[in-house]
Amino acid sequence: MNFQQLRSVREAQRRGFNLTEVAQALHTSQPGVSRQIRELEDELGIELFVRVGKRLTGLTEPGEQVLPVIERLLQEADNLKRAADDFAQAGSGRLRIAATHSQARYALPPAVRDFRAHHPDVSLHLQQGSPQQIARLLLDGEADVGIATEALAQYPELVALPCYRWTHSVVVPPDHPLLDGPLTLARLAQFPIVTYELGYTGRSHIDDAFAAAQLTPHIVLSAMDADVIKTYVELGLGVGIVAAIAFDEERDRHLRAIDARHLFEDNMTRLAVRRSAYLRDYVYEFIQTFASPLKREVVDAARHELPVQEGREPVLAWSKAA
């Protein structure tokens, strides 16, 4: 039994049992992948995959039971390498961050700048995606840290730590009628709306608020990124609903922002790591740079499901939402 056999089985499941893709991912040949899988099955004395001819079509019942064990073995092998690197390559390495567009654009830059100033020998790799994609990158071991508002707390294999609360704002052109008088859902529903896609940046709270008021908003365009939303508001497509942190008076001088915290529920941005992953020292330091209450002992207490000391709930208030 060897790690290449285990990787072949894991990648076969991840890549929909397409051995051509598995071979590409593992930098080997398709016959080589087939041989590795068959040798492991012979070693274990069971078939892990359902076959139709030479094609793999799914996992057998034993395969379903064995796959989590394989995942854990490969995770621990990766942890062993990271632990060794902490001593052999102290202060250097790679940090892989997965974040939504809004977090990468508005929340991460100060943390990245400060972290780089103290860790010049750590290379940063930033991946952007949906909250579900970020969770999958973490679960597959392809990201060390994930940052998003939605979804991360739904996975028991991840530790999702609260970082900061934020609110929404409505953005409009300078002469828009919504600037006159109080902002209400009823008034907002009278105009075409440009806002986030489903599953992004607090969109569920926007939908919930309109539904609770028995109003149907006329959403003419949805996008993942606040800059895209603001661009179409400037073009006159509608009024925008964006995260308050996404509006800057200087940069967005052709628009006006209206505080909408009284209309929509507050949102919580979370930082997640895989519960079983070995975190190198500089990963802990990046986490605390991004959210100062998330000290190493707080992160480890959450990873091991230990109670955090009373009064030390790691939640920040985002200054622009205040």
Side-chain angles (χ1 to χ4, degrees), residues 46-79:
I46 56 175
E47 288 197 346
L48 301 174
F49 294 97
V50 178
R51 291 174 170 81
V52 176
K54 293 184 178 181
R55 290 191 306 112
L56 305 185
T57 60
L59 288 169
T60 62
E61 185 176 349
E64 295 277 4
Q65 297 297 316
V66 167
L67 183 63
V69 179
I70 290 175
E71 294 273 10
R72 288 197 297 273
L73 286 170
L74 291 173
Q75 173 65 47
E76 290 304 322
D78 187 52
N79 286 343

Short mmCIF file of all heavy atoms in Angstrom, two decimals, residues 46-79:
data_model
loop_
_atom_site.label_atom_id
_atom_site.label_comp_id
_atom_site.label_asym_id
_atom_site.label_seq_id
_atom_site.Cartn_x
_atom_site.Cartn_y
_atom_site.Cartn_z
N ILE A 46 -10.99 -6.15 -1.53
CA ILE A 46 -12.34 -5.68 -1.85
C ILE A 46 -12.29 -4.82 -3.10
O ILE A 46 -11.24 -4.29 -3.47
CB ILE A 46 -12.96 -4.85 -0.70
CG1 ILE A 46 -12.05 -3.67 -0.35
CG2 ILE A 46 -13.24 -5.71 0.51
CD1 ILE A 46 -12.63 -2.73 0.68
N GLU A 47 -13.44 -4.70 -3.77
CA GLU A 47 -13.54 -3.77 -4.89
C GLU A 47 -14.08 -2.44 -4.37
O GLU A 47 -15.12 -2.41 -3.70
CB GLU A 47 -14.45 -4.33 -5.99
CG GLU A 47 -13.81 -5.47 -6.76
CD GLU A 47 -14.52 -5.74 -8.08
OE1 GLU A 47 -15.65 -5.22 -8.25
OE2 GLU A 47 -13.97 -6.48 -8.92
N LEU A 48 -13.39 -1.36 -4.70
CA LEU A 48 -13.79 -0.04 -4.23
C LEU A 48 -14.73 0.66 -5.21
O LEU A 48 -15.48 1.56 -4.81
CB LEU A 48 -12.55 0.83 -4.01
CG LEU A 48 -11.52 0.30 -3.00
CD1 LEU A 48 -10.29 1.19 -2.99
CD2 LEU A 48 -12.13 0.22 -1.61
N PHE A 49 -14.68 0.26 -6.48
CA PHE A 49 -15.44 0.96 -7.51
C PHE A 49 -16.38 0.02 -8.25
O PHE A 49 -16.08 -1.16 -8.47
CB PHE A 49 -14.49 1.61 -8.52
CG PHE A 49 -13.65 2.70 -7.94
CD1 PHE A 49 -12.36 2.44 -7.51
CD2 PHE A 49 -14.15 3.99 -7.80
CE1 PHE A 49 -11.58 3.44 -6.96
CE2 PHE A 49 -13.38 5.00 -7.25
CZ PHE A 49 -12.09 4.73 -6.83
N VAL A 50 -17.52 0.57 -8.64
CA VAL A 50 -18.43 -0.12 -9.55
C VAL A 50 -17.89 0.08 -10.96
O VAL A 50 -17.51 1.19 -11.34
CB VAL A 50 -19.85 0.47 -9.44
CG1 VAL A 50 -20.78 -0.21 -10.44
CG2 VAL A 50 -20.39 0.33 -8.02
N ARG A 51 -17.84 -0.99 -11.74
CA ARG A 51 -17.29 -0.93 -13.09
C ARG A 51 -18.31 -1.38 -14.12
O ARG A 51 -19.09 -2.29 -13.88
CB ARG A 51 -16.03 -1.80 -13.20
CG ARG A 51 -14.83 -1.26 -12.41
CD ARG A 51 -13.67 -2.24 -12.45
NE ARG A 51 -12.43 -1.67 -11.92
CZ ARG A 51 -12.13 -1.59 -10.64
NH1 ARG A 51 -12.98 -2.06 -9.72
NH2 ARG A 51 -10.98 -1.07 -10.26
N VAL A 52 -18.29 -0.69 -15.26
CA VAL A 52 -19.02 -1.12 -16.44
C VAL A 52 -17.98 -1.27 -17.54
O VAL A 52 -17.50 -0.27 -18.08
CB VAL A 52 -20.11 -0.11 -16.86
CG1 VAL A 52 -20.77 -0.57 -18.16
CG2 VAL A 52 -21.13 0.06 -15.75
N GLY A 53 -17.59 -2.50 -17.83
CA GLY A 53 -16.45 -2.72 -18.69
C GLY A 53 -15.20 -2.23 -17.98
O GLY A 53 -14.92 -2.60 -16.84
N LYS A 54 -14.47 -1.33 -18.64
CA LYS A 54 -13.27 -0.76 -18.03
C LYS A 54 -13.54 0.58 -17.35
O LYS A 54 -12.64 1.15 -16.73
CB LYS A 54 -12.18 -0.58 -19.10
CG LYS A 54 -11.66 -1.90 -19.66
CD LYS A 54 -10.52 -1.65 -20.64
CE LYS A 54 -9.95 -2.97 -21.16
NZ LYS A 54 -8.83 -2.74 -22.11
N ARG A 55 -14.77 1.07 -17.47
CA ARG A 55 -15.09 2.38 -16.90
C ARG A 55 -15.50 2.26 -15.44
O ARG A 55 -16.20 1.31 -15.05
CB ARG A 55 -16.24 3.04 -17.68
CG ARG A 55 -15.85 3.50 -19.07
CD ARG A 55 -16.93 4.39 -19.67
NE ARG A 55 -18.24 3.74 -19.66
CZ ARG A 55 -19.26 4.14 -18.90
NH1 ARG A 55 -19.13 5.17 -18.08
NH2 ARG A 55 -20.42 3.51 -18.97
N LEU A 56 -15.09 3.25 -14.64
CA LEU A 56 -15.56 3.36 -13.26
C LEU A 56 -16.82 4.21 -13.28
O LEU A 56 -16.87 5.28 -13.90
CB LEU A 56 -14.51 4.02 -12.38
CG LEU A 56 -13.11 3.39 -12.35
CD1 LEU A 56 -12.24 4.11 -11.32
CD2 LEU A 56 -13.18 1.91 -12.05
N THR A 57 -17.85 3.77 -12.59
CA THR A 57 -19.12 4.51 -12.60
C THR A 57 -19.56 4.96 -11.21
O THR A 57 -20.51 5.73 -11.09
CB THR A 57 -20.24 3.65 -13.22
OG1 THR A 57 -20.41 2.46 -12.45
CG2 THR A 57 -19.90 3.29 -14.67
N GLY A 58 -18.89 4.49 -10.18
CA GLY A 58 -19.27 4.89 -8.83
C GLY A 58 -18.50 4.10 -7.80
O GLY A 58 -17.63 3.28 -8.14
N LEU A 59 -18.81 4.38 -6.53
CA LEU A 59 -18.19 3.64 -5.43
C LEU A 59 -19.06 2.47 -5.01
O LEU A 59 -20.30 2.58 -4.99
CB LEU A 59 -17.98 4.57 -4.23
CG LEU A 59 -16.89 5.64 -4.35
CD1 LEU A 59 -17.00 6.62 -3.20
CD2 LEU A 59 -15.51 5.01 -4.38
N THR A 60 -18.43 1.35 -4.69
CA THR A 60 -19.16 0.24 -4.09
C THR A 60 -19.48 0.59 -2.64
O THR A 60 -18.99 1.59 -2.10
CB THR A 60 -18.32 -1.04 -4.13
OG1 THR A 60 -17.13 -0.83 -3.35
CG2 THR A 60 -17.94 -1.41 -5.56
N GLU A 61 -20.26 -0.24 -1.98
CA GLU A 61 -20.54 -0.01 -0.56
C GLU A 61 -19.26 -0.03 0.26
O GLU A 61 -19.05 0.86 1.11
CB GLU A 61 -21.55 -1.03 -0.04
CG GLU A 61 -21.96 -0.76 1.40
CD GLU A 61 -23.03 -1.73 1.89
OE1 GLU A 61 -23.59 -2.47 1.06
OE2 GLU A 61 -23.29 -1.74 3.11
N PRO A 62 -18.35 -1.03 0.04
CA PRO A 62 -17.07 -0.96 0.76
C PRO A 62 -16.28 0.30 0.41
O PRO A 62 -15.62 0.88 1.28
CB PRO A 62 -16.33 -2.22 0.30
CG PRO A 62 -17.41 -3.15 -0.15
CD PRO A 62 -18.48 -2.28 -0.72
N GLY A 63 -16.36 0.73 -0.84
CA GLY A 63 -15.66 1.94 -1.24
C GLY A 63 -16.16 3.17 -0.50
O GLY A 63 -15.38 4.05 -0.12
N GLU A 64 -17.47 3.24 -0.29
CA GLU A 64 -18.05 4.36 0.47
C GLU A 64 -17.51 4.39 1.90
O GLU A 64 -17.30 5.46 2.47
CB GLU A 64 -19.58 4.23 0.50
CG GLU A 64 -20.25 4.37 -0.85
CD GLU A 64 -20.47 5.81 -1.24
OE1 GLU A 64 -20.03 6.71 -0.50
OE2 GLU A 64 -21.07 6.04 -2.31
N GLN A 65 -17.27 3.21 2.47
CA GLN A 65 -16.76 3.13 3.84
C GLN A 65 -15.27 3.44 3.92
O GLN A 65 -14.79 4.04 4.88
CB GLN A 65 -17.03 1.73 4.41
CG GLN A 65 -18.49 1.36 4.53
CD GLN A 65 -19.24 2.26 5.49
OE1 GLN A 65 -18.76 2.56 6.58
NE2 GLN A 65 -20.43 2.70 5.09
N VAL A 66 -14.53 3.03 2.88
CA VAL A 66 -13.08 3.17 2.90
C VAL A 66 -12.63 4.59 2.54
O VAL A 66 -11.62 5.09 3.06
CB VAL A 66 -12.44 2.14 1.93
CG1 VAL A 66 -10.98 2.46 1.66
CG2 VAL A 66 -12.59 0.73 2.49
N LEU A 67 -13.39 5.28 1.67
CA LEU A 67 -12.96 6.60 1.19
C LEU A 67 -12.68 7.59 2.32
O LEU A 67 -11.64 8.28 2.27
CB LEU A 67 -13.99 7.17 0.21
CG LEU A 67 -13.61 8.50 -0.42
CD1 LEU A 67 -12.36 8.37 -1.27
CD2 LEU A 67 -14.76 9.06 -1.26
N PRO A 68 -13.53 7.73 3.36
CA PRO A 68 -13.19 8.67 4.44
C PRO A 68 -11.88 8.32 5.14
O PRO A 68 -11.16 9.22 5.59
CB PRO A 68 -14.39 8.55 5.39
CG PRO A 68 -15.52 8.06 4.54
CD PRO A 68 -14.87 7.15 3.54
N VAL A 69 -11.57 7.03 5.24
CA VAL A 69 -10.30 6.62 5.86
C VAL A 69 -9.12 7.07 4.99
O VAL A 69 -8.11 7.58 5.48
CB VAL A 69 -10.26 5.10 6.07
CG1 VAL A 69 -8.94 4.68 6.70
CG2 VAL A 69 -11.43 4.65 6.93
N ILE A 70 -9.28 6.90 3.67
CA ILE A 70 -8.24 7.35 2.73
C ILE A 70 -8.04 8.85 2.84
O ILE A 70 -6.91 9.35 2.86
CB ILE A 70 -8.62 6.93 1.30
CG1 ILE A 70 -8.50 5.41 1.14
CG2 ILE A 70 -7.75 7.65 0.27
CD1 ILE A 70 -8.97 4.88 -0.20
N GLU A 71 -9.16 9.59 2.91
CA GLU A 71 -9.07 11.05 3.05
C GLU A 71 -8.28 11.42 4.31
O GLU A 71 -7.43 12.32 4.29
CB GLU A 71 -10.48 11.66 3.12
CG GLU A 71 -11.29 11.52 1.84
CD GLU A 71 -11.03 12.67 0.87
OE1 GLU A 71 -10.09 13.46 1.10
OE2 GLU A 71 -11.77 12.77 -0.12
N ARG A 72 -8.57 10.74 5.42
CA ARG A 72 -7.88 11.06 6.68
C ARG A 72 -6.39 10.73 6.59
O ARG A 72 -5.55 11.48 7.09
CB ARG A 72 -8.53 10.31 7.85
CG ARG A 72 -9.89 10.86 8.25
CD ARG A 72 -10.29 10.38 9.63
NE ARG A 72 -10.43 8.93 9.69
CZ ARG A 72 -11.56 8.27 9.39
NH1 ARG A 72 -12.63 8.95 9.01
NH2 ARG A 72 -11.61 6.97 9.48
N LEU A 73 -6.05 9.59 5.97
CA LEU A 73 -4.65 9.21 5.85
C LEU A 73 -3.87 10.24 5.04
O LEU A 73 -2.75 10.64 5.41
CB LEU A 73 -4.54 7.83 5.18
CG LEU A 73 -4.92 6.63 6.04
CD1 LEU A 73 -5.00 5.38 5.18
CD2 LEU A 73 -3.91 6.42 7.16
N LEU A 74 -4.45 10.70 3.93
CA LEU A 74 -3.78 11.69 3.09
C LEU A 74 -3.69 13.04 3.80
O LEU A 74 -2.71 13.77 3.66
CB LEU A 74 -4.50 11.81 1.75
CG LEU A 74 -4.37 10.58 0.84
CD1 LEU A 74 -5.26 10.73 -0.39
CD2 LEU A 74 -2.91 10.37 0.41
N GLN A 75 -4.74 13.38 4.57
CA GLN A 75 -4.71 14.62 5.34
C GLN A 75 -3.59 14.58 6.38
O GLN A 75 -2.85 15.54 6.56
CB GLN A 75 -6.05 14.84 6.02
CG GLN A 75 -6.08 16.02 6.99
CD GLN A 75 -5.88 17.35 6.29
OE1 GLN A 75 -6.49 17.62 5.29
NE2 GLN A 75 -5.00 18.18 6.84
N GLU A 76 -3.45 13.46 7.06
CA GLU A 76 -2.41 13.35 8.08
C GLU A 76 -1.01 13.35 7.45
O GLU A 76 -0.07 13.88 8.03
CB GLU A 76 -2.61 12.08 8.91
CG GLU A 76 -3.82 12.14 9.85
CD GLU A 76 -3.77 13.34 10.78
OE1 GLU A 76 -2.67 13.70 11.26
OE2 GLU A 76 -4.82 13.95 11.02
N ALA A 77 -0.89 12.79 6.25
CA ALA A 77 0.40 12.86 5.55
C ALA A 77 0.74 14.31 5.22
O ALA A 77 1.89 14.74 5.36
CB ALA A 77 0.35 12.01 4.28
N ASP A 78 -0.26 15.06 4.79
CA ASP A 78 -0.06 16.49 4.50
C ASP A 78 0.28 17.24 5.79
O ASP A 78 1.14 18.12 5.79
CB ASP A 78 -1.32 17.05 3.85
CG ASP A 78 -1.13 18.48 3.37
OD1 ASP A 78 -0.17 18.74 2.64
OD2 ASP A 78 -1.95 19.34 3.74
N ASN A 79 -0.41 16.91 6.88
CA ASN A 79 -0.12 17.55 8.17
C ASN A 79 1.32 17.28 8.61
O ASN A 79 2.00 18.15 9.16
CB ASN A 79 -1.09 17.05 9.23
CG ASN A 79 -2.48 17.62 9.08
OD1 ASN A 79 -2.68 18.62 8.38
ND2 ASN A 79 -3.46 16.99 9.71
#
